Amino acid sequence: TNPTTERRLLIKGATVLTMDPEYGDLTTGDILISGDRITAVGADLTDQAPADAEVIDARGMIAIPGLIDTHMHAWQTPLKGLYAEGWTLDDYLSKAFYLREHFTPDDIHDATFSGSVQMLDAGVTGVLDFCHNVMSPEAADAGLRAHRITGQRALFAFGMLGSFGAPPEDHAWRLDHVRRLHEEVNLGGDGLLRVGLALGSMEYGSLERVTKEIGLARELGMRMSIHQNPPGQIQALHEAGLLDSDIVPAHANAASDGELAALAACGGGISFTPEGEFGGGGAMDILNRAHRMGARPSLGIDTHTRVSIDLFAAMRLTYLLMRNVDAETERRAGRWPLTYSPDVPLVRPRHMLEFATVNAATHLGLGDELGRLTPGRLADVVLVNTEPYGVALGDPAAHIVLQTTPRDVDTVIVGGRVRKRDGVLTDLDPTAAGAATRQVRERVFADAAAHGGPVPDLGPIR
């Protein structure tokens, strides 16, 4: 595309879920896009569209804002399935996470490329890539380079966690490199790719180290995320005067009501990875409590070592988990068949789509730019095909959450660019992503074997 020529798109005839209460849903609606922005949404925009606008026939489709994954370790994409046997956290650290020591910058590049392609193919237009495998400046540069190639909207969260027991100078170069990347990417880029911080895990470091990281991020205006696993860590940040909406705690199963109240008070929320949490035996009531207290949840896949890159499945499981927690509460109170208490808001499928769009955009620091299909916002749009079997009855958001898989993703648009059309990626090759995965496995596993580490079986299919 000629960079001096503004792209113009007219999406016609879709069921449009704007996710904005002012605009609501359009049973049959159009979306007009100029450049990287939505310029109009309405019942029939044919007369408003320029003559040179590309028209996308979206009859039989549901238009939703691009999905956003707020907690993903893209570098682990080639380790697909390695953590699928219900291991403990210690097993994960010793059998999967330890492999990061054997990743070269080329491996980080190829793994990130593969994960990003798969996400785009599945309708995930935006991601917080929590890269806790930055073992050198070159590794961070390689991950960023991969995101530039794929063109996914990405917040590359630079991992501050080095090798366990690393000396202080390991922390110092990370802080210095983040400052340089901020100047190159955040100030010198086009906004599609940004750098943030994946704060060091407090259980492996110290509050003092994390305080330095937060100070740098706030000086530079960066977004942050942190693994929140042991109880009390959100409270520790709050008591230290460090908690604010620019930090998104991931997982947070052990968060207390007081910690959730502190998050809600500052306009923050949590990133929850339902498949990993549920499979790992984590407490599931955190979602219901966070949702009701206003600590807005968003969703993530976490790691391909355990589950597929599929936010539709994550939304579906989240809905079922939240309904189950509510039902258990009612049963314990002696109300059966279920008669929900008047003060208990009934969670609905539409809330799940809100988690993966509106809330997620806020967590990426783009709440005014993304997450809704309304004029003036960035044009990240996904069209879901409901054919050949037809749309589900009732709320179309329920069709998205309860009926849709990545195979139903017909069209993906990021910043006004069509990245997938008629079910096929337009400028990225899935076979190249698969080849990148195999290359990383062969290089990493060979290096691990050479150093006497446990090496997974590549299996009969290469």
Side-chain angles (χ1 to χ4, degrees), residues 74-393:
W75 73 268
Q76 293 185 341
T77 301
L79 307 183
K80 174 181 178 179
L82 193 55
Y83 185 35
E85 299 298 324
W87 295 345
T88 64
L89 178 60
D90 286 343
D91 285 328
Y92 165 71
L93 293 174
S94 63
K95 298 177 181 177
F97 190 67
Y98 94 95
L99 286 167
R100 74 182 185 140
E101 303 283 350
H102 301 281
F103 272 67
T104 67
D106 284 343
D107 296 322
I108 295 293
H109 174 278
D110 289 353
T112 303
F113 169 79
S114 182
S116 186
V117 171
Q118 291 183 60
M119 283 186 271
L120 283 168
D121 205 11
V124 181
T125 59
V127 64
L128 190 157
D129 181 5
F130 195 111
C131 188
H132 53 359
N133 190 3
V134 178
M135 308 308 285
S136 68
E138 292 77 18
D141 296 343
L144 288 163
R145 192 163 60 249
H147 280 301
R148 287 192 187 95
I149 291 172
T150 64
Q152 185 184 27
R153 192 177 300 281
L155 177 64
F156 182 82
F158 186 108
M160 299 305 294
L161 178 67
S163 299
F164 299 124
E169 54 265 29
D170 179 76
H171 196 236
W173 76 255
R174 294 173 192 278
L175 296 173
D176 290 342
H177 198 59
V178 165
R179 189 180 293 277
R180 181 178 72 78
L181 290 177
H182 170 69
E183 294 178 359
E184 292 180 1
V185 180
N186 294 357
L187 300 181
D190 60 3
L192 198 63
L193 175 62
R194 295 177 299 144
V195 177
L197 284 194
L199 300 173
S201 298
M202 293 172 66
E203 62 268 34
Y204 301 123
S206 67
L207 182 59
E208 180 183 1
R209 282 173 63 108
V210 170
T211 299
K212 289 181 180 178
E213 296 162 12
I214 294 173
L216 176 63
R218 292 201 170 131
E219 175 193 338
L220 302 178
M222 287 181 165
R223 304 294 296 187
M224 295 164 276
S225 186
I226 187 169
H227 276 137
Q228 200 284 303
N229 291 311
Q233 292 184 340
I234 295 174
Q235 184 64 26
L237 291 173
H238 180 53
E239 291 176 355
L242 298 172
L243 188 66
D244 210 336
S245 61
D246 55 359
I247 302 175
V248 182
H251 310 309
N253 301 86
S256 67
D257 284 352
E259 289 175 308
L260 294 175
L263 278 169
C266 70
I270 64 170
S271 176
F272 198 76
T273 59
E275 293 167 302
E277 316 291 354
F278 184 61
M284 293 297 106
D285 66 335
I286 179 65
L287 279 164
N288 302 65
R289 292 188 291 120
H291 178 51
R292 289 172 188 159
M293 297 181 71
R296 294 173 290 190
S298 62
L299 302 177
I301 296 302
D302 192 6
T303 172
H304 205 26
T305 65
R306 193 160 198 169
V307 298
S308 64
I309 296 175
D310 182 355
L311 268 184
F312 297 104
M315 287 191 286
R316 184 156 51 251
L317 179 59
T318 301
Y319 173 68
L320 297 174
L321 288 171
M322 293 183 73
R323 290 296 297 264
N324 182 264
V325 168
D326 281 344
E328 181 64 20
T329 300
E330 295 297 303
R331 282 194 295 271
R332 288 178 177 175
R335 292 184 287 268
W336 185 264
L338 297 182
T339 54
Y340 283 88
S341 306
D343 59 338
V344 177
L346 184 64
V347 67
R348 301 186 183 281
R350 186 171 289 258
H351 289 126
M352 307 303 109
L353 186 55
E354 183 179 288
F355 293 174
T357 56
V358 177
N359 291 2
T362 298
H363 290 175
L364 262 63
L366 297 171
D368 294 331
E369 297 282 304
L370 286 178
R372 306 178 195 266
L373 300 180
T374 54
R377 292 181 181 260
L378 290 165
D380 291 9
V381 186
V382 169
L383 298 180
V384 170
N385 197 349
T386 66
E387 300 299 337
Y389 303 113
V391 69
L393 298 172

